[in-house]
Structures are given as C-alpha cells and as structure tokens.
Amino acid sequence: MNTQNTDVHTISPELPAMFDGMKLAAVATVLYILVRCLNLKSPTAPPDLTYQDTPLNRFLLKSCPQLTKEYIPPLLWGKSGHLQTALYGKLGRVSSPHPSGVRKYLPMQDGATATFDLFEPVGDHRTGDDITMVICPGIGNHSEKHYIRTFVDYAQKDGYRCAVLNHLGALPNNELTSPRMFTYGCTWEFAAMVGYIKRTYPQTQLMVVGFSLGGNIVCKFLGENRTNQERVLCCVSVCQGYSALRAQETFLQWDQFRRFYNFLMADNMKKIILSHRHSLFGGSPVKRIDLDIGRLYTATSLMQIDDSIMRKFHGHSSLKEYYEKELCSFIHNVNVPLLLVNSADDPLVHESLLTIPRTLGRGAVLFPQPLTWMDKVIVGYANAMCQWEKQKPPCQSVPQSESSCAEEQS
C-alpha cells in the first residue's frame, strides 16, 4: 500500500493577534488623519474682534450678539476650511430659497450693459425706515448663486430691500454688449446700480455689502469719492483678500492647497472669458486674438490670466499696475462705519493679509444649513446700525473712519 505524503500547514497562534494589531493600527491612522483633516481639536471661540473703543462700537457689541457669542460650527466637518468650502457649496444650499426679484438693465457709456436684480422687502423694517442693501457678489458670481439667494431671502424677511449686482459677463446666457467684462476693482457697474437706487427711492438709506471680490469693489467704490458715501449707513465686507500684490506669492504655494484653489478659480475664469470670446476679442487683429487665446488656454493661475487678459480691459501696462489700481487702496478713505469679516481658516486668504484689516480696525449637525453665521452677522450688524441711527440725537454723527474687524474662529 502506497502512502502519500501530505504537507500540513499550521497557523501560528501569534498571527491572528498580529492581524488584529494591524487593524487597530490602520483604524488609529485613519482616525488620526480625520482628526487632523477635520481640525476637530480646534477649540470653539467667539470672533476675534479688533476695533476702537467708541460709543458706536460699544452699542454694536451690545446690540449684535453674533459679534460676541461663541461661534459653534457644524459637527464633524465645520472646523475644516477645506470641507466647508467643498461641502457647503454642494450640500448646504440644497434647500436654499428662491426669492422673487426683477432684473434691471442699465446702459453704460462705453456700450456695456450693467444688470442687477432688485428684491423688495417682504415686511416692514423694525425701525419703520426704508433701507436698501446694495450687494456685490464674489468673483464671477451673480444674483442666482445659492449663497446670494439665501442671504437675500433672510434680509428681505427682516425688512430690507436688496439690490444685487450681476458681474459683467458672469450671468449665463447673457451676452456682453461691449468688449469688456468685470475686473477686480472696476466700480462702474456697482456705481450705476447705486445711482439707480438713489434716484428711484429718494428716501431710502443704503447698507453696502460685498462678498470676497465684491468686498474689494464696494470698499473701493466708497473710498474713490466722498459723494459715494452719501446716504450710506454702513458697509460690510466679507472674506476680502485686501491685497493681490501681497497675495501673489501665497496663491502659488501649496500650503492650505491654495495653489489648487488658484487653479480651480482660473479654470472658472477661462470658461467665462471663452464664453464671451467673440464679444471680447472680435474687434482685435487675428494675430493678437490667437496670442491672447493661446495664453489663456495654457494659463494655470489667476495671475497668468490677469496678466494676459484682464489687465488689458482698462489699459494697464503691467500686472503690478493692474493690482495697484484695481484693488482697494482707497479703503482708508471710507468714513462710514465699516465691518470687515474674515474667516481664520480661509484656505485662500493667508494669515499675513489679515494684518491689513486688523491695523485698520485699531485707529446644523452633519449637514450644513442654508442660513449661516455670515448671513446672521451681516443682518444683525445692519439692524444694530439702524437702531443707532434711529435713537441718536440729531446733532450726533458717526465719527469718521469708524471701522471694526471681526475674524470668525473655527
């Protein structure tokens, strides 16, 4: 009888324990990465305020609780600037409202056509006054964006009329009528909208609000000419970058993934420019068009697009000149109360840029909700300003250059 030799394999009793240890190590690694990426160890805190000690600012701190209350971000993802940027734009506005407005068209002297959407208040303002918020959205944005719709709906319900600028060239399916589109600091369209509001509603007072790029435009508009500040109660700028010259280097760094965000914004700018290529470049020589379009296609940053395309709309000879003249170098000329709001973990605005507003200030559960701290603080600040105007003695005026800076902690 033949016997067949068979190999018998045995598992060492130490192996299951080793596999369990590897599983635990993998879980611990994932948890560590999540804690770091989600910034879960970051403590909650009230906004970091920089302001002058004046009767007005003391009144605002008392009357606008969002400025002093501890900011509690949404659980899990609310402490990460990156996840807020990515998720909030997709999930947070699923249930955003659709306020009803009327689109207005204003012909400009150079042949361009400015457009803005006008939303009447839903109810009376708490002071009984006629107050209009004139709003300038962020880069390449317009009144149909979710964050604008949510803010307008909230402001309407508090008794504010809202006028929202549509950046020149940003509205889909709306052709340009001149070879020019919006730039970082051109205030012509915003000025036309404000002029229309002042003429149409001679009794209204204005609250000026700007988001991101819009914050630069509204501050520049107010500081360019003292008459632009007439009938303006206050100005609120949210997430402004303050200085493109100083931001150039940080925008090319991978720290906080700014280089990646820079690429995404540049890609969006490409799409806007190319959608209007015939209006923007139709009157230029063919070789010049090919050169500009070629540079546009190969651009991977906003700075490259600014240098090859954007600066030329207003005849700037260099990128440095464009940034110097288009950005809010006039902010120190703003004499109405000014609230500058920035996020401490903004992936785009480097910490070094926040020295500008600070210096000026011294002299839901798992799913984001449509209404944000930003919406509430702007309307709360506006309400407090209206109350201040209503109760102050007739001879009392707001001190010049009264500004404050609120930095949201998360």
Side-chain angles (χ1 to χ4, degrees):
M1 185 171 85
N2 294 329
T3 60
Q4 184 176 2
N5 294 329
T6 59
D7 293 332
V8 178
H9 299 281
T10 60
I11 299 177
S12 172
E14 289 82 6
L15 286 179
M18 182 178 69
F19 290 144
D20 289 341
M22 293 175 63
K23 292 178 183 178
L24 288 174
V27 170
T29 301
V30 170
L31 289 176
Y32 174 78
I33 293 173
L34 284 175
V35 169
R36 289 295 301 270
C37 292
L38 298 177
N39 204 23
L40 296 179
K41 296 181 66 176
S42 173
T44 58
D48 181 13
L49 302 176
T50 303
Y51 61 94
Q52 296 176 349
D53 185 17
T54 66
L56 170 59
N57 283 336
R58 289 194 294 270
F59 177 83
L60 291 172
L61 292 177
K62 180 180 179 181
S63 304
C64 182
Q66 289 84 4
L67 291 174
T68 54
K69 287 173 58 178
E70 182 181 21
Y71 171 68
I72 307 296
L75 294 177
L76 188 61
W77 61 268
K79 292 186 176 183
S80 169
H82 303 293
L83 287 181
Q84 289 181 59
T85 302
L87 292 180
Y88 192 70
K90 298 298 182 184
L91 300 179
R93 304 303 190 175
V94 171
S95 57
S96 63
H98 291 77
S100 178
V102 178
R103 183 153 296 166
K104 302 290 184 179
Y105 298 84
L106 303 175
M108 307 293 291
Q109 291 185 352
D110 67 343
T113 303
T115 69
F116 71 94
D117 285 22
L118 186 62
F119 304 87
E120 292 295 335
V122 174
D124 294 333
H125 193 270
R126 64 186 63 194
T127 64
D129 294 332
D130 186 303
I131 312 291
T132 301
M133 286 192 175
V134 285
I135 302 165
C136 191
I139 183 170
N141 289 176
H142 44 76
S143 62
E144 298 174 10
K145 291 295 183 179
H146 299 307
Y147 75 97
I148 295 293
R149 295 199 324 234
T150 300
F151 175 68
V152 166
D153 179 74
Y154 185 61
Q156 276 184 303
K157 292 176 180 176
D158 250 49
Y160 293 95
R161 179 186 299 108
C162 295
V164 183
L165 181 70
N166 299 309
H167 284 301
L168 201 62
L171 273 175
N173 304 317
N174 197 330
E175 292 295 328
L176 293 173
T177 57
S178 75
R180 179 174 67 85
M181 60 178 284
F182 76 91
T183 58
Y184 296 154
C186 181
T187 60
W188 298 350
E189 292 78 49
F190 188 75
M193 180 180 75
V194 171
Y196 176 93
I197 296 297
K198 287 183 175 181
R199 292 190 304 271
T200 307
Y201 305 96
Q203 302 303 317
T204 196
Q205 298 182 84
L206 304 180
M207 300 277 185
V208 180
V209 180
F211 297 96
S212 189
L213 166 74
N216 174 76
I217 289 177
V218 300
C219 288
K220 185 170 180 284
F221 166 75
L222 292 174
E224 282 176 335
N225 194 317
R226 186 66 177 270
T227 60
N228 292 343
Q229 302 178 42
E230 294 175 356
R231 294 167 56 186
V232 174
L233 292 179
C234 65
C235 175
V236 182
S237 167
V238 181
C239 293
Q240 183 182 167
Y242 303 104
S243 174
L245 281 173
R246 291 171 58 175
Q248 284 185 88
E249 292 184 6
T250 66
F251 251 48
L252 294 175
Q253 297 170 355
W254 282 101
D255 177 49
Q256 293 295 315
F257 298 100
R258 273 186 295 275
R259 185 67 180 87
F260 178 66
Y261 288 113
N262 188 0
F263 174 81
L264 293 180
M265 291 191 295
D267 189 60
N268 185 57
M269 283 295 294
K270 284 183 186 181
K271 293 176 182 177
I272 295 176
I273 294 171
L274 289 173
S275 70
H276 297 289
R277 60 186 299 173
H278 298 296
S279 300
L280 294 174
F281 307 110
S284 302
V286 175
K287 289 185 178 179
R288 174 68 178 275
I289 295 175
D290 292 341
L291 180 62
D292 289 341
I293 295 297
R295 289 174 176 172
L296 178 64
Y297 275 121
T298 58
T300 59
S301 72
L302 285 175
M303 286 74 77
Q304 291 173 331
I305 296 176
D306 292 341
D307 193 24
S308 60
I309 304 291
M310 303 301 289
R311 67 174 177 83
K312 298 175 183 178
F313 290 138
H314 291 279
H316 296 298
S317 60
S318 66
L319 186 63
K320 181 175 183 294
E321 179 184 284
Y322 171 60
Y323 286 160
E324 286 177 342
K325 294 189 176 180
E326 290 277 308
L327 297 184
C328 64
S329 55
F330 299 92
I331 195 170
H332 293 87
N333 297 335
V334 177
N335 295 317
V336 300
L338 175 61
L339 177 65
L340 305 171
V341 183
N342 285 90
S343 175
D345 60 354
D346 191 328
L348 296 176
V349 181
H350 190 268
E351 169 71 16
S352 63
L353 299 174
L354 299 183
T355 58
I356 298 173
R358 287 178 182 143
T359 300
L360 189 65
R362 293 187 187 100
V365 182
L366 298 182
F367 293 96
Q369 299 298 314
L371 199 63
T372 68
W373 180 89
M374 174 192 73
D375 303 317
K376 295 176 183 178
V377 76
I378 296 174
V379 173
Y381 180 82
N383 287 338
M385 280 301 310
C386 291
Q387 294 171 12
W388 170 266
E389 287 291 319
K390 196 74 172 178
Q391 71 178 34
K392 74 179 183 181
C395 61
Q396 186 174 358
S397 60
V398 176
Q400 291 189 352
S401 302
E402 186 116 2
S403 61
S404 53
C405 167
E407 184 178 332
E408 173 194 341
Q409 304 293 317
S410 58

